[in-house]
Structures are given as C-alpha cells and as structure tokens.
Amino acid sequence: MAMEQKPGASVAASAGSSAVAAADKRREKRLHLAVPVKIFPDIASLETQACCTYEISTTGARLVAPPGITRVGQVIWMQRQNRRAKYKVIWIGEPDSSLAGQVGVETLEPANVIWENEIKARIMRS
C-alpha cells in the first residue's frame, strides 16, 4: 500500500513517528481481542499456520507473526471459523522493537468481515 500524502501536508510532518502516524490514519477503533485464526501465507497453497490476534477491526488486525509472513505487501488468506478473507501485510515489527514478532494486516475484502460476530458481541456488552 503506497502512502498517500494529503494536500497541504509537509514532507517533514509525514516523517514523524510511524506509530503515531498509523494511529492518526486509522478509520476506526481497534478492539483489543485475542482471536484464534488460521493464516494461509501463500494464497496458492492449502498450507496453514495457527495464529492469534492482538487487536481486530473491521478493516484489519494486529497479529502474532506466524511463519510464512515474510514481507510487507504479501497477500495472505486469513480464516476465522468458517469465514475466510484476503488480507495484505502492511507492516512487520522490527526484530529489536516493541512490535517484534507482530504484523499488521489490512483487508482486501472490506465487505467480508471474518470476525463480525466477535465485534458485534463486544459492542453489545459495552
């Protein structure tokens, strides 16, 4: 995903902390929820990896990095129970950072929310 600069934004302003920039660009609140999922790192293969989320939203997630996720831009399948959708890896935590062992993914199928039930249940409890 190429980063688009908003009109009027300076280059210096876009060079700030990536964590702050990511939080500012989020379209919705993320739910801190551990949800077990299956990852298909190669969409042409049936090989899966078990994984768990740190956070979820209707448009993306932060995951424990499973083997097979190797690069930003990689397209993967993610499955929750009987629902599966395509996601794109948008960041991988640096090895010596607080995000080591984690990845961020964004949906390529916005109408297909694989954890819709978990999100609805959390909203009903609040």
Side-chain angles (χ1 to χ4, degrees):
M1 177 173 137
M3 292 189 58
E4 295 179 24
Q5 193 164 339
K6 293 181 182 176
S10 72
V11 173
S14 66
S17 165
S18 61
V20 171
D24 290 344
K25 291 192 320 188
R26 286 193 183 138
R27 295 176 288 257
E28 65 182 325
K29 183 180 176 184
R30 292 206 171 190
L31 299 175
H32 297 282
L33 199 56
V35 177
V37 293
K38 285 183 185 176
I39 302 294
F40 297 75
D42 177 357
I43 60 173
S45 170
L46 295 177
E47 185 178 327
T48 65
Q49 299 289 333
C51 185
C52 192
T53 65
Y54 287 104
E55 298 175 320
I56 63 172
S57 74
T58 58
T59 59
R62 182 167 56 106
L63 311 168
V64 173
I69 293 185
T70 57
R71 62 182 168 73
V72 171
Q74 182 176 349
V75 176
I76 64 171
W77 285 102
M78 191 158 35
Q79 182 173 325
R80 170 71 178 142
Q81 296 171 337
N82 63 347
R83 297 184 80 167
R84 185 185 301 180
K86 256 187 216 179
Y87 286 79
K88 182 175 173 182
V89 176
I90 56 172
W91 61 265
I92 297 175
E94 293 294 325
D96 295 327
S97 74
S98 63
L99 296 176
Q102 300 177 35
V103 297
V105 296
E106 182 176 67
T107 187
L108 295 175
E109 301 178 28
N112 185 9
V113 181
I114 64 172
W115 31 64
E116 186 173 21
N117 294 338
E118 287 81 0
I119 291 173
K120 284 180 180 177
R122 178 63 67 96
I123 290 169
M124 294 296 282
R125 282 186 264 154
S126 36

